[in-house]
Amino acid sequence: MRVRELWRYPVKSLQGERLTEAEVGALGLEGDRRWALFDRDTGFGLTARRVPELLFGAARLRPDGGVEVVLPDGTVTADEAILSRWLGRRVELRAAPEDDADVPTYESAVDDEEPDPAEWLQWEGAPGPFHDSPRIRLSLVSTGTLGTWDRRRFRANVVLDGAGEDALRGTEADLGGARLRFGTGIPRCVMTTRPQPGGIARDTSVLKTVHRERDGLLAVRAAVLTPGRVRVGNELHRAAD
């Protein structure tokens, strides 16, 4: 399998940036999920599970290392008052903490397959970068697994040409200059069914199929054992046992 696409999502649940190469460090792809929007009144981190409108904004890193958001009307901003007007709630654009002291809380529907859920539960995310789990530092999926599904529904950092990422679970492999250790599959939620820019329509069958045929898991998570640079076209080399 070779790297077909590389993706960085600077702000959690917003659209991201397609890259040709990227540094991968101990916390994942440089700049990935390093910011998130928080509701000032509830204190909860916002995701497209709860606020689907987030998927229609995009985030990109600035040359100075900061972040800016591109709104659906083309406005480019990091101004929290403008972001609040867009989302219809008071929000804060928060950078991930440098230590593990602050663990964010998010909301998720009790029933992921309910079109308009009335019941929500709270869950804790990861310390540091705003991944859903501290065990996810890099996410990878292959074109063989995706089939006809649009890869943007699954927001993986690495899209691999070929098939077979499921077989990597519990192994180590080199990708470009990085050594990775692969863990379990990634549980999927209602975000995979949400509409997105570029003609991606709402499709509840995606999540139903993932639950029915793949036990709710799609793509694999990886920890970064050795940092390094990864480029489009790099081949994944499984480490010898």
Side-chain angles (χ1 to χ4, degrees):
M1 293 183 288
R2 293 182 181 273
V3 177
R4 180 172 183 169
E5 298 177 9
L6 285 171
W7 287 88
R8 171 173 63 204
Y9 299 93
V11 178
K12 188 174 182 65
S13 279
L14 271 63
Q15 298 295 326
E17 304 173 287
R18 187 172 176 178
L19 308 172
T20 57
E21 59 182 348
E23 289 293 331
V24 176
L27 297 178
L29 194 148
E30 184 178 22
D32 187 57
R33 275 87 171 184
R34 294 307 204 271
W35 287 266
L37 288 162
F38 283 77
D39 188 309
R40 286 187 178 274
D41 295 318
T42 67
F44 294 139
L46 299 182
T47 76
R49 294 173 173 89
R50 191 65 158 114
V51 186
E53 294 86 351
L54 291 173
L55 288 171
F56 285 85
R60 62 194 187 195
L61 293 188
R62 299 194 310 249
D64 64 2
V67 70
E68 58 192 14
V69 175
V70 184
L71 301 184
D73 66 1
T75 299
V76 180
T77 187
D79 188 296
E80 292 174 349
I82 296 174
L83 295 172
S84 296
R85 286 197 294 272
W86 168 46
L87 294 172
R89 63 181 73 207
R90 299 195 314 137
V91 300
E92 173 189 0
L93 181 60
R94 188 183 301 176
E98 295 296 328
D99 55 36
D100 293 348
D102 188 14
V103 178
T105 301
Y106 306 102
E107 292 181 289
S108 187
V110 172
D111 183 356
D112 252 348
E113 296 187 18
E114 175 64 37
D116 297 302
E119 294 184 86
W120 296 83
L121 54 82
Q122 287 79 53
W123 56 278
E124 287 191 345
F130 296 111
H131 297 289
D132 285 351
S133 164
R135 295 183 297 277
I136 300 175
R137 294 307 182 193
L138 201 69
S139 56
L140 304 93
V141 69
S142 73
T143 55
T145 295
L146 290 173
T148 60
W149 283 328
D150 193 304
R151 82 282 186 273
R152 290 174 291 177
R153 289 191 184 276
F154 302 97
R155 302 173 61 81
N157 297 124
V158 182
V159 179
L160 297 164
D161 252 333
E165 78 275 14
D166 290 330
L168 295 170
R169 298 177 189 178
T171 70
E172 296 180 10
D174 294 316
L175 189 63
R179 168 65 65 92
L180 308 176
R181 178 187 292 133
F182 295 92
T184 59
I186 297 177
R188 290 301 165 178
C189 68
V190 71
M191 277 184 62
T192 62
T193 73
R194 299 290 197 209
Q196 298 184 38
I200 301 177
R202 184 171 180 270
D203 187 351
T204 59
S205 71
V206 175
L207 187 58
K208 291 176 181 177
T209 302
V210 172
H211 279 297
R212 183 177 66 249
E213 298 183 1
R214 300 183 55 84
D215 294 325
L217 307 175
L218 191 142
V220 293
R221 64 185 70 181
V224 181
L225 302 181
T226 304
R229 197 160 191 82
V230 177
R231 296 177 173 85
V232 170
N234 283 158
E235 186 173 355
L236 188 145
H237 295 283
R238 188 164 171 172
D241 295 332

